[in-house]
Amino acid sequence: MNREEIIIPETAVVRQRDFQKKIRDMFAARKAHPTACVETFGCQQNVADGQRLMGMLEAMGFTLSEDAGEADLVLLNTCAIREHAEQRVFGNLGILTHSKKENPEQMIVLCGCMAQEERVSKRIRESYRHVDLVFGPQALWRFPELLWQAYETKERVFSVADEPGGIAEGLPVVRERGVKAWVSIMYGCNNFCSYCIVPYVRGRERSRSPEAVLAEVRELVEAGYKDITLLGQNVNSYGNDLETGYRFPDLLEDIDKIPGDYWIRFMSSHPKDASPRLFDTMAKCGHVARQLHLPFQSGNNRVLGEMNRRYTREKYLELIRYARSVMPELVLTSDVIIGFPGETETEAMDTISLVEEVGFDALFTFIYSPRPGTKAAAMPDPVPRAEKQKWFDKLLDVQNRQSAGIHAGYVGKMLRVLVDGESDDGDFPLSSRTEGNRLVRLKGGKELVGQFLDVHVTGSNTWALYGEPV
Ligand code: SAH
Ligand code: SF4
Ligand code: F3S
């Protein structure tokens, strides 16, 4: 696809404002303050999408609310990554039959990655008749139009065609107030890891223009955001489709030139094209946090091959060695899957040995969940769940000990942190993050939120550090 087909014309985006107005006017005649309840599941990319959806809802005149039962509109922005994520959504939909019965005017919207799965949209069509509007991630920018269609026709609307997807700039947004913000720099995924549903539901890889990303980051820094995360399924392939030779390290370098006191992070990185140049750039750019989330998934080369990951254990270790050589203080996290179809105990232990060898600061660990339609879902999977659970528990045990050990090493030291909010711990009422994104619970008053501080670390456990401002 060429660039013109990918960029959604500004006129088409602007036209959505007409639909926003129609809905605003419709409610103005009917009801003073329509409310909308938005629930987002899944990854940060979905959270960022949810913030755009909320922006559009506000532009349509809705006040955002937490009360799904009472809301005039309920929107579930869903995730399809594992079976459990889908079950939660079906559970929520079940509960919504009651509120819909009491208030037949209630508009129920299902969007996000699950909505894009044919199997799911079919099930919604047939068995969840109280859902009024269903659309996938590629249709997100047309939400006002689709919603208007649902209100006007009083018929159910499905927009779930398999589309490669475009890029719509200038959509409204409701951000979390405070210090953290998300910026999608690209959409979609071309990698087709054999276990993963994302390429099927999020369309093809496409990069926003550097100008659009830079303008958004600049705006956020000027608005006082201090912890900005660039998002993409694989940020290392940013720019591949721009055909200008401009790549992710170039983007980092250009962002770094924006003046201000802030940190830039990014996720996720794919080891197959994480490069020494990326690490050199991280090391030399003052605003780029020395933190890396580099999912390795498995420590066994046969399994990595079956997963279609396109790197080896050795290549991964080599990357880590290089990254640490240029950034000795690097905080490193990863994603791991245990129990891929056909994985043997010995192979799972290779994953654990890699974890021991690298010494990650933290891990996101998953037991393999078959996703219908993916290549892995058709592979024989003879190992019982209980057996996989044992390997998984062993992995957790190794990692928890590692995290606790790394954290204990900080006690007595001084760290620079960014206070990002209040916490639920009465003795340490503030939550803060180090440059490496480590959680530090702090003593102090809430007037400190949003500030960079030097703190003295007084305690630790597996998940957090504890400290006091100096
Ligand atoms: N694009 C990111 C990952 C997004 S999904 C990347 O490639 O790094 C987040 C994590 O969910 C993946 O890294 C993987 O560990 C896990 N995951 C994806 N599909 C899964 C499945 N079918 N079962 C279990 N875990 C899965
Ligand atoms: Fe899924 Fe692989 Fe794409 Fe990540 S890179 S979203 S794991 S297919
Ligand atoms: Fe889930 Fe879609 Fe993200 S499947 S993990 S919400 S890209």
Side-chain angles (χ1 to χ4, degrees):
M1 281 211 327
N2 59 35
R3 211 54 200 158
E4 287 87 82
E5 289 173 75
I6 292 172
I7 304 290
I8 293 156
E10 203 186 330
T11 48
V13 179
V14 169
R15 208 167 70 88
Q16 293 299 316
R17 292 190 203 146
D18 299 341
F19 295 106
Q20 284 169 191
K21 182 166 185 310
K22 282 184 193 213
I23 292 173
R24 233 175 19 240
D25 292 347
M26 178 194 81
F27 272 111
R30 222 204 265 176
K31 177 164 189 186
H33 295 291
T35 58
C37 175
V38 173
E39 185 159 7
T40 290
F41 303 80
C43 63
Q44 269 72 25
Q45 225 150 51
N46 231 28
V47 172
D49 285 355
Q51 295 181 340
R52 298 284 166 188
L53 292 160
M54 290 193 281
M56 291 187 250
L57 283 165
E58 279 198 352
M60 292 187 260
F62 289 92
T63 303
L64 299 171
S65 119
E66 308 266 293
D67 185 349
E70 291 295 315
D72 296 287
L73 181 149
V74 180
L75 180 146
L76 302 183
N77 183 26
T78 63
C79 169
I81 202 80
R82 283 168 291 272
E83 192 183 353
H84 178 72
E86 295 199 351
Q87 281 164 349
R88 277 179 62 202
V89 170
F90 280 117
N92 278 36
L93 282 180
I95 296 169
L96 286 173
T97 51
H98 306 296
S99 59
K100 182 82 170 190
K101 220 169 251 155
E102 276 178 27
N103 175 13
E105 297 280 290
Q106 186 175 53
M107 175 66 66
I108 299 182
V109 183
L110 184 97
C111 64
C113 295
M114 256 175 93
Q116 194 67 50
E117 290 182 284
E118 206 179 310
R119 173 180 55 87
V120 171
S121 63
K122 193 160 170 270
R123 184 165 161 197
I124 301 285
R125 233 185 260 273
E126 287 164 6
S127 315
Y128 292 79
R129 304 200 57 83
H130 59 304
V131 179
D132 303 289
L133 168 58
V134 179
F135 62 92
Q138 280 69 271
L140 176 138
W141 66 280
R142 289 192 290 119
F143 174 40
E145 180 177 356
L146 296 169
L147 185 60
W148 172 249
Q149 198 185 331
Y151 276 124
E152 205 192 30
T153 63
K154 299 198 162 40
E155 281 175 16
R156 306 176 76 199
V157 174
F158 285 74
S159 177
V160 292
D162 187 12
E163 303 172 54
I167 296 176
E169 294 294 350
L171 300 180
V173 61
V174 172
R175 298 196 193 265
E176 217 175 296
R177 255 175 317 199
V179 294
K180 284 186 199 214
W182 314 107
V183 176
S184 293
I185 62 166
M186 55 191 301
Y187 306 97
C189 182
N190 289 355
N191 290 316
F192 290 92
C193 302
S194 62
Y195 50 80
C196 184
I197 193 72
V198 171
Y200 299 89
V201 294
R202 288 248 163 197
R204 295 292 60 76
E205 226 161 68
R206 50 212 191 269
S207 307
R208 290 178 70 196
S209 74
E211 295 74 31
V213 174
L214 286 165
E216 188 172 340
V217 174
R218 196 170 294 118
E219 208 175 283
L220 289 168
V221 170
E222 281 165 9
Y225 287 94
K226 295 191 161 57
D227 191 337
I228 298 168
T229 305
L230 309 177
L231 299 175
Q233 292 304 335
N234 171 15
V235 293
N236 300 131
S237 54
Y238 175 83
N240 279 356
D241 55 327
L242 293 174
E243 290 171 1
T244 55
Y246 189 95
R247 306 299 308 273
F248 185 57
D250 298 306
L251 184 66
L252 283 181
E253 276 177 25
D254 282 342
I255 290 175
D256 188 52
K257 290 177 196 147
I258 297 172
D261 208 4
Y262 63 92
W263 282 325
I264 283 286
R265 312 179 188 282
F266 53 88
M267 64 184 292
S268 283
S269 280
H270 195 305
K272 83 174 159 62
D273 41 23
S275 62
R277 183 172 167 223
L278 170 68
F279 303 139
D280 292 342
T281 306
M282 289 174 73
K284 79 171 185 222
C285 292
H287 290 111
V288 179
R290 272 76 170 151
Q291 178 227 329
L292 184 66
H293 181 65
L294 193 64
F296 70 92
Q297 314 297 358
S298 164
N300 176 273
N301 287 340
R302 189 196 69 83
V303 176
L304 284 171
E306 291 293 310
M307 286 178 163
N308 191 29
R309 290 289 289 181
R310 287 173 279 173
Y311 54 85
T312 59
R313 177 188 177 105
E314 293 71 31
K315 158 99 191 288
Y316 186 83
L317 288 170
E318 179 54 42
L319 281 174
I320 300 298
R321 256 193 302 277
Y322 185 79
R324 282 180 166 161
S325 75
V326 293
M327 293 174 282
E329 70 284 41
L330 183 69
V331 169
L332 194 64
T333 57
S334 196
D335 292 348
V336 188
I337 298 175
I338 287 285
F340 183 81
E343 183 177 66
T344 64
E345 179 165 4
T346 316
E347 289 167 339
M349 295 310 121
D350 284 346
T351 293
I352 294 179
S353 81
L354 190 142
V355 168
E356 285 173 324
E357 198 170 333
V358 173
F360 292 96
D361 291 271
L363 276 187
F364 298 87
T365 49
F366 309 102
I367 292 185
Y368 169 74
S369 169
R371 306 285 64 221
T374 61
K375 194 160 168 237
M379 296 176 182
D381 188 5
V383 176
R385 169 82 190 201
E387 185 67 13
K388 293 183 181 182
Q389 188 70 47
K390 274 193 231 155
W391 307 344
F392 185 79
D393 292 344
K394 190 159 176 193
L395 170 68
L396 277 193
D397 190 49
V398 167
Q399 181 57 44
N400 286 346
R401 264 184 288 137
Q402 217 158 64
S403 297
I406 293 174
H407 282 170
Y410 280 88
V411 177
K413 295 203 168 129
M414 300 274 287
L415 288 177
R416 184 162 184 256
V417 299
L418 172 63
V419 185
D420 62 359
E422 294 174 64
S423 90
D424 46 15
D425 183 332
D427 293 334
F428 293 87
L430 294 178
S431 125
S432 71
R433 295 279 168 173
T434 65
E435 176 179 332
N437 211 19
R438 238 180 260 274
L439 173 63
V440 186
R441 296 188 186 279
L442 278 189
K443 292 197 186 292
K446 62 181 173 195
E447 69 285 353
L448 296 174
V449 173
Q451 295 192 23
F452 285 101
L453 295 178
D454 288 322
V455 301
H456 182 237
V457 182
T458 55
S460 76
N461 61 24
T462 310
W463 298 277
L465 303 175
Y466 293 82
E468 293 171 13
V470 287

